[in-house]
Amino acid sequence: MRILILNQYFYPDHSATSQLMTDLAEELVEQGLEVTALAGRGRYNGGASLAPRETYRGVRIERAWATSFGKGSIFGRLCDYLSFYFGAAWKLAVLPRHDLVMVLTTPPLINLVALIIGRFRGMRVVALVQDVYPDVAVSLGALKERSLLTRLLSRLNYLTLSGADRIIVLGECMRDRIQHLLGEEFSARMDIIHNWADGNELKPLDGELNHFIEEHSLKDKFVVLFSGNMGHVNEFATVLNAAHLLRDRKDILFLFIGEGARAPEIREFSTANRLQNIRMLPYQSRRMLRHSLAAGDVHLVTLVKGLAGLSVPSKTYGIMASGRPILFVGDTSSTAARLVKKYRCGEVLESGESERLAEVIAHWATNREELSAIGSAARRAFEERFDRPQAVDAYMQTFKKCMIAAPKSLMSTLMTKPSLR
């Protein structure tokens, strides 16, 4: 089987979808599949362009030309998106034909390119929904719900999803959202496959010396850690207010590792309130991830209210792999919140519950045995459900289902009647 994975970012980029798809591609190659990754030459946060092509662990990487302004401005992001649409379309048209193209949602609606060209070339199409557009933008206030642009984007999203041979969603919440958009008759085409982490790469240190803790003078601190992209989908107001309430606890540190659109908000709050219990560090290399995650006594996962089923924080699985408790803050009906509740691997709080969050952190800071038991529960749940091999097996099953069905024609795809939901 020859598979092409289409996503704006791939190895060596550090973005979440890049790391996930790199892991998946490596495993598929080991199972005997021929895998090509089609990505852009830019990086998630901008910077020097990557080589137009290379081979990494048996995976052929083709990089379409596109601008590389990064996420620093709306103009730069739009330029990166638009140029990648055209660059990816050209590459998809001229690369050797594959049996199947699996397309993600970065950038939004790139699956329309995959659907049209993939159908024209007789390839099956799998839509891997990491974020639901334009619904995410509407929930964040970037688009008006009933505007002409929103309605157009919604119809295009319907076309791309309904035209796919299989649809992969990240949890029950997202399945319900997509089913509401497409209709009950599409449920048979959907597969729920959670994101994952590598349980061999990420695991509890079990008493090993953690050089990251030594290097950053964290030994005598109770570390509340947020690690990853600090984007618009994250809820930080509740966390920052809790940090303010705990400002006199010299033993408690709120550590933010990474960057993103909302990182300046955290810096400004810390400076304006003269808080000594907030510290920020840049992204850490993947080889350091096990040690940086282990530096957190508890981990923060946040999601803006209203985004349940539209976006799933992939950091949840890495935290569980590391055997650390999770403090979830935000939309309590989301997949991440449900996992924390189901496996009893942390606490779930609504947006605005800063006082309760501060109380939980203060309690855990003086009850390490309780914290250890919760962390062990997180690791057990990870090993049962969310390790890398289990996810790969699920993807293989989806690909097999896809190949059994007869390929659709381009005309039948374009004639799909848009939903009025």
Side-chain angles (χ1 to χ4, degrees):
M1 191 187 301
R2 294 164 298 172
I3 293 180
L4 188 146
I5 299 174
L6 174 57
N7 188 48
Q8 191 173 5
Y9 305 107
F10 197 76
Y11 172 87
D13 193 80
H14 63 251
S15 62
T17 55
S18 168
Q19 294 187 38
L20 287 166
M21 291 303 103
T22 302
D23 284 351
L24 177 61
E26 289 176 29
E27 290 284 350
L28 294 177
V29 167
E30 287 189 10
Q31 297 200 26
L33 279 66
E34 182 181 322
V35 182
T36 300
L38 175 52
R41 297 184 196 175
R43 295 175 181 266
Y44 186 79
N45 284 317
S49 294
L50 298 167
R53 62 184 56 84
E54 68 174 297
T55 300
Y56 175 73
R57 296 186 178 179
V59 181
R60 177 184 178 183
I61 305 174
E62 292 283 343
R63 297 191 179 98
W65 180 89
T67 59
S68 183
F69 293 107
K71 306 293 183 178
S73 69
I74 294 176
F75 174 78
R77 183 176 297 195
L78 287 175
C79 286
D80 290 353
Y81 284 173
L82 290 172
S83 58
F84 182 67
Y85 290 139
F86 288 106
W90 171 252
K91 280 280 189 180
L92 200 58
V94 300
L95 282 173
R97 179 187 171 279
H98 289 66
D99 299 303
L100 181 153
V101 54
M102 182 174 74
V103 57
L104 281 72
T105 47
T106 307
L109 298 178
I110 187 64
N111 41 7
L112 182 60
V113 171
L115 190 66
I116 293 174
I117 299 178
R119 287 286 177 251
F120 182 77
R121 301 193 65 190
M123 294 187 283
R124 273 79 166 183
V125 178
V126 174
L128 170 50
V129 185
Q130 291 281 341
D131 298 287
V132 182
Y133 293 103
D135 305 58
V136 169
V138 171
S139 293
L140 294 175
L143 290 175
K144 294 182 179 179
E145 185 174 4
R146 303 303 297 173
S147 70
L148 181 62
L149 176 59
T150 300
R151 290 174 64 85
L152 172 62
L153 293 175
S154 294
R155 288 178 179 269
L156 288 175
N157 188 41
Y158 175 89
L159 174 66
T160 58
L161 292 176
S162 62
D165 295 283
R166 303 293 303 179
I167 304 167
I168 298 174
V169 294
L170 306 182
E172 290 77 7
C173 294
M174 187 174 284
R175 177 200 60 200
D176 295 343
R177 288 267 195 174
I178 300 299
Q179 195 165 289
H180 176 73
L181 170 68
L182 301 181
E184 295 286 340
E185 63 272 22
F186 286 89
S187 60
R189 284 198 220 169
M190 284 193 277
D191 298 312
I192 297 175
I193 306 178
H194 287 267
N195 281 337
W196 66 90
D198 187 333
N200 291 320
E201 184 178 294
L202 298 179
K203 51 188 170 183
L205 288 182
D206 295 329
E208 296 177 36
L209 180 64
N210 190 340
H211 296 289
F212 186 88
I213 290 177
E214 300 293 330
E215 180 182 350
H216 296 284
S217 304
L218 303 174
K219 187 174 182 180
D220 298 320
K221 298 291 186 181
F222 182 84
V223 179
V224 182
L225 177 61
F226 182 96
S227 176
N229 184 54
M230 303 167 204
H232 293 294
V233 299
N234 297 119
E235 205 276 58
F236 289 117
T238 304
V239 175
L240 294 175
N241 287 330
H244 190 267
L245 291 170
L246 293 168
R247 61 192 178 279
D248 295 328
R249 287 289 301 264
K250 305 299 182 184
D251 59 321
I252 298 176
L253 176 69
F254 288 76
L255 178 61
F256 296 85
I257 300 177
E259 268 299 337
R262 301 194 66 181
E265 172 187 330
I266 298 169
R267 294 190 181 95
E268 290 167 8
F269 185 92
S270 178
T271 301
N273 291 279
R274 299 179 180 180
L275 297 181
Q276 302 299 312
N277 62 343
I278 292 179
R279 191 185 302 176
M280 301 188 74
L281 294 174
Y283 280 111
Q284 303 298 304
S285 65
R286 186 164 181 177
R287 62 183 178 80
M288 283 296 299
L289 188 59
R290 182 187 177 200
H291 294 85
S292 64
L293 291 182
D297 293 288
V298 299
H299 282 250
L300 291 163
V301 175
T302 70
L303 188 68
V304 170
K305 194 167 183 62
L307 292 188
L310 302 180
S311 185
V312 178
S314 59
K315 69 174 81 269
T316 308
Y317 307 96
I319 298 167
M320 295 174 76
S322 299
R324 288 294 188 261
I326 297 171
L327 283 169
F328 178 89
V329 179
D331 198 323
T332 57
S333 62
S334 66
T335 294
R338 291 183 182 186
L339 292 179
V340 173
K341 291 176 183 177
K342 179 177 180 179
Y343 294 106
R344 299 181 179 180
C345 55
E347 289 286 337
V348 173
L349 301 96
E350 294 269 7
S351 297
E353 291 190 299
S354 300
E355 290 186 9
R356 185 181 162 219
L357 178 59
E359 289 171 0
V360 171
I361 292 170
H363 172 75
W364 279 351
T366 53
N367 291 270
R368 299 298 185 100
E369 289 185 6
E370 179 182 332
L371 203 64
S372 178
I374 297 172
S376 296
R379 178 67 190 190
R380 284 195 302 273
F382 169 80
E383 291 175 349
E384 291 171 8
R385 288 287 313 279
F386 309 115
D387 205 349
R388 175 168 159 172
Q390 295 158 333
V392 174
D393 287 345
Y395 274 88
M396 287 295 293
Q397 292 303 314
T398 292
F399 297 154
K400 288 174 183 177
K401 293 176 192 174
C402 194
M403 295 305 296
I404 290 172
K408 298 181 180 180
S409 67
L410 176 61
M411 186 58 66
S412 67
T413 296
L414 294 177
M415 291 299 290
T416 302
K417 186 178 179 180
S419 169
L420 297 178
R421 288 179 174 77

